[in-house]
Amino acid sequence: MIGIVDCNSFYVSCERLFRPDLNDRPVGVLSNNDGCVIALSNELKALGITMGTPAHFLRDQVMHEGVTLFSSNYELYGDISQRVQAVLEEFSAGIDPYSIDECWVDFSGFSADQLEQHAHELRRRVKQYTGIPVSIGVAPTRTLAKVANRAAKKNASYEGVCVLYPNSPRAVELLQHFDLGDIWGIGRRLDEKLRQLGINTAWDLRRQNAKELRRRFSVTLERTVLELQETPAIEMMGMDFARERIMTSRSFGQLTEDKSEVRGAIRQHAQRSAEKLRKQGSLCRAVLVFLRTNPHRHDLDQYNPSQIIELDHATDDSRDIVAASMRVLERIYTTGFQYKKAGVMLMDIGDRSVEQLSLLDSARSDIERARSGRLMGVMDELNEKMGRNTVRLGSAATGAAWQLRCANRSPRFTTRWDEIPMAKL
DNA sequence: TGGGCGGTT
DNA sequence: AACCGCC
């Protein structure tokens, strides 16, 4: 049996750890750039607000209905996430982190009654040690564990834990009332197409022929059906493999046509991309830079250029990647447009140990490579220890228009000494 | 009216 | 190079 542990309204729960006064209040957390609501407390949901609502729709509620909105504070959420994972790891047979607020947990080897008890114990420990409330779904497959998790969350009588044993009446009952679009892996598009075939619930989908659906749709849908039928078909342990493309992009806090500001943003995104590249032990051979104007502003001219540049050798050196990005930017940047977003994508990615053996790379000496590796290693270590962007290439450019809007970000309580909470006794 | 993938045209 | 789908 496999379990999925999902933190309830995770970002909101993180904020509430340090603001217990908000425990029964409507609270939301905004996306990067304070764009839209991406995490909602139950009290905020009860006001009819949904995920993705633009923040400015909520201005009145913030003023008059006691709604509290936070800018997102990923440094805090990332740290709390690691603490939750540490607890899960300590009290289980094995874990496999899935996202910042979800984690697969190995539940194999328990008898039926032990299993339910163990899940409740796990939930209690996480709450005790981190303060974060979680819901746990357990089932023979990942897709069914996700179904169980949703039930655990929606139905208070489960008290945060729902176990679906193979062939159980509870599973049948649940699937019969489970909306197609809420199944893990069924998006809006697929939901629509399947409904045209008269498939409306998880139970309907479970009764389909998996091979037939593979032929008509895709191998991923076949896997989903198999998993609903209690046959494991989705492996996750290998989910952590190296990315084939690595992108870093951000919207600007406000539109800008200042070239030096766009340059600053690209320089930062190039360095962040290079960091991610080194983290997964890869080298890249091509860099893509793109710019975007605001597609919602029909009154402004649109321009969404992107261009790729091939590097003369595979690299993970931030200096190479920044230099290449700057060359591309020079080629695509055009004055007279109001830019909304910029990004850097690394492509043609391969494993470091393989790439370095390539004859094409013989132009670079071993000494050169060793120096680069040491320098990048020191930069990564300092940035990891002291906070992102402590050491960087080029100037700081703080206060530029392109920097993120985050008007209501809480302190990074657990990762910055100068933002640590103070207690008055 | 977000970001980061993978994929297709 | 531009666009789409999904989470």
Side-chain angles (χ1 to χ4, degrees):
Chain A
M1 299 280 271
I2 181 90
I4 180 82
V5 176
D6 188 318
C7 302
N8 300 344
S9 309
F10 181 55
Y11 299 170
V12 170
S13 297
C14 289
E15 298 294 348
R16 281 176 165 168
L17 291 178
F18 299 92
R19 289 290 305 277
D21 57 305
L22 296 177
N23 274 343
D24 298 309
R25 315 284 315 157
V27 180
V29 176
L30 304 178
S31 62
N32 251 340
N33 231 359
D34 291 351
C36 51
V37 184
I38 54 169
L40 303 85
S41 72
N42 289 332
E43 297 78 7
L44 187 58
K45 288 175 192 164
L47 293 178
I49 312 301
T50 55
M51 169 96 84
T53 304
H56 64 266
F57 286 11
L58 291 171
R59 260 215 348 248
D60 288 348
Q61 275 115 319
V62 171
M63 301 286 276
H64 303 119
E65 294 179 42
V67 169
T68 305
L69 295 180
F70 288 92
S71 303
S72 42
N73 184 349
Y74 285 103
E75 203 163 310
L76 175 66
Y77 311 150
D79 183 61
I80 302 297
S81 173
Q82 290 196 357
R83 292 166 191 240
V84 170
Q85 279 168 28
V87 177
L88 294 176
E89 189 157 36
E90 184 173 352
F91 293 98
S92 77
I95 67 164
D96 182 13
Y98 178 55
S99 70
I100 195 163
D101 69 333
E102 290 173 282
C103 190
W104 301 105
V105 176
D106 184 358
F107 272 87
S108 51
F110 288 97
S111 69
D113 54 326
Q114 281 179 328
L115 199 154
E116 208 135 336
Q117 222 178 0
H118 174 63
H120 279 288
E121 174 71 4
L122 206 53
R123 180 167 175 269
R124 199 181 62 74
R125 292 285 184 188
V126 172
K127 177 75 176 156
Q128 177 186 355
Y129 293 132
T130 68
I132 299 293
V134 300
S135 303
I136 305 182
V138 187
T141 67
R142 293 175 194 271
T143 304
L144 287 171
K146 283 274 201 177
V147 169
N149 190 284
R150 173 170 278 257
K153 219 167 230 166
K154 281 182 84 169
N155 188 338
S157 69
Y158 283 124
E159 295 182 309
V161 172
C162 175
V163 180
L164 294 182
Y165 299 101
N167 260 316
S168 61
R170 177 190 271 177
V172 177
E173 161 80 14
L174 210 56
L175 292 177
Q176 282 174 342
H177 295 100
F178 202 85
D179 243 24
L180 203 60
D182 292 332
I183 300 170
W184 187 43
I186 307 288
R188 222 187 46 232
R189 205 59 164 233
L190 220 42
D191 181 71
E192 221 170 88
K193 286 185 193 164
L194 290 171
R195 278 177 200 278
Q196 283 170 8
L197 299 176
I199 302 170
N200 294 300
T201 66
W203 182 249
D204 294 341
L205 186 57
R206 174 180 164 138
R207 291 188 309 172
Q208 302 301 309
N209 180 296
K211 280 271 170 292
E212 167 77 8
L213 286 187
R214 176 189 186 139
R215 198 178 56 74
R216 294 183 64 168
F217 293 92
S218 67
V219 63
T220 45
L221 183 58
E222 177 195 24
R223 291 190 182 128
T224 297
V225 173
L226 287 172
E227 289 238 325
L228 288 173
Q229 296 167 350
E230 303 180 357
T231 304
I234 301 175
E235 208 38 75
M236 279 265 126
M237 287 305 187
M239 210 52 192
D240 208 20
F241 48 74
R243 296 275 167 267
E244 293 170 13
R245 299 188 290 208
I246 289 174
M247 179 164 72
T248 307
S249 71
R250 288 289 179 283
S251 294
F252 301 137
Q254 53 197 97
L255 296 176
T256 181
E257 47 187 342
D258 183 333
K259 188 174 180 183
S260 68
E261 289 193 342
V262 176
R263 208 184 274 131
I266 291 295
R267 189 187 296 117
Q268 180 154 311
H269 297 334
Q271 290 177 80
R272 180 71 191 119
S273 290
E275 250 176 51
K276 295 183 195 171
L277 185 71
R278 292 193 290 274
K279 180 130 192 229
Q280 70 169 40
S282 302
L283 302 179
C284 74
R285 288 183 176 278
V287 177
L288 178 146
V289 174
F290 71 86
L291 301 175
R292 279 209 199 323
T293 47
N294 186 344
H296 305 292
R297 290 290 298 270
H298 300 292
D299 56 321
L300 296 176
D301 291 333
Q302 298 294 312
Y303 179 50
N304 303 313
S306 71
Q307 212 174 100
I308 298 179
I309 189 171
E310 303 276 337
L311 303 174
D312 49 8
H313 56 82
T315 185
D316 65 0
D317 190 310
S318 293
R319 295 168 298 180
D320 298 335
I321 290 165
V322 169
S325 302
M326 290 303 140
R327 291 216 300 283
V328 181
L329 179 62
E330 287 306 318
R331 300 217 289 250
I332 62 176
Y333 183 88
T334 309
T335 49
F337 294 101
Q338 304 263 350
Y339 294 101
K340 171 66 178 170
K341 184 173 180 173
V344 172
M345 196 188 306
L346 306 184
M347 314 181 69
D348 215 339
I349 287 173
D351 194 78
R352 179 160 43 202
S353 54
V354 177
E355 293 285 324
Q356 281 173 349
L357 295 175
S358 159
L359 288 175
L360 293 171
D361 200 31
S362 57
R364 294 177 81 214
S365 74
D366 289 342
I367 295 172
E368 225 178 316
R369 259 201 305 268
R371 282 172 50 108
S372 161
R374 279 203 305 279
L375 179 60
M376 293 303 120
V378 169
M379 280 181 61
D380 290 342
E381 202 183 318
L382 283 170
N383 283 331
E384 169 128 352
K385 214 177 284 177
M386 316 287 287
R388 195 167 286 171
N389 287 325
T390 300
V391 191
R392 57 177 115 64
L393 305 174
S395 57
T398 47
W402 58 270
Q403 291 198 321
L404 284 183
R405 259 191 316 227
C406 51
N408 299 303
R409 200 188 63 198
S410 51
R412 291 162 289 194
F413 296 108
T414 61
T415 54
R416 303 278 176 143
W417 285 113
D418 50 347
E419 297 179 24
I420 201 167
M422 304 282 274
K424 289 204 179 102
L425 297 176

